[in-house]
Amino acid sequence: MYKFKAVRNQGRYVFTQLVDFLPRKNFEWLVKKYEGNKYVKSFTCWNHLMVLLFGQLSYREGLRDLIVTITPFKSAFHHLGFGKNGTYFLFVIQTKLITQASNFS
């Protein structure tokens, strides 16, 4: 019979622990191949992927719902893997939503 060692929380968010299983080197290789970060100053493709994965894994129904869910975690963006400039993402998305809403009114 196999004995499994219990894994305890190491002071990290569950989302961050799940992300550790992603092949980041392969992702970075693809980003470099297709020049995904060519004109990026702060919010990289990896940060964008982390935010979108967070939304997917937390069953968000849309961007507004994602913003409402992520906003309380602003102080923990770096620890969640969103990068130090995760607030930039929120700003861009909110601006797009406001622009779209004004176009429909």
Side-chain angles (χ1 to χ4, degrees):
M1 183 110 261
Y2 295 104
K3 292 186 179 182
F4 294 101
K5 183 179 179 183
V7 179
R8 297 183 322 174
N9 183 358
Q10 310 234 339
R12 296 171 51 203
Y13 290 98
V14 174
F15 177 75
T16 309
Q17 294 175 26
L18 287 172
V19 168
D20 286 344
F21 291 107
L22 294 176
R24 186 167 182 166
K25 287 183 180 181
N26 293 353
F27 182 81
E28 294 294 340
W29 179 80
L30 288 170
V31 169
K32 186 176 181 181
K33 179 180 177 181
Y34 294 106
E35 298 178 345
N37 288 332
K38 188 172 184 177
Y39 299 107
V40 172
K41 293 183 181 178
S42 59
F43 196 67
T44 65
C45 290
W46 181 258
N47 299 138
H48 195 168
L49 176 69
M50 293 302 101
V51 171
L52 294 178
L53 278 176
F54 184 85
Q56 193 69 30
L57 293 173
S58 59
Y59 300 107
R60 298 300 107 198
E61 295 180 2
L63 289 176
R64 290 181 189 190
D65 195 16
L66 179 60
I67 290 170
V68 169
T69 306
I70 289 178
T71 302
F73 293 104
K74 279 186 181 181
S75 62
F77 275 1
H78 182 67
H79 300 292
L80 286 168
F82 300 164
K84 295 177 183 175
N85 298 316
T87 52
Y88 175 73
F89 172 77
L90 292 177
F91 172 74
V92 169
I93 296 300
Q94 287 173 343
T95 305
K96 286 182 182 179
L97 289 174
I98 291 169
T99 306
Q100 289 175 358
S102 65
N103 289 340
F104 288 118
S105 342

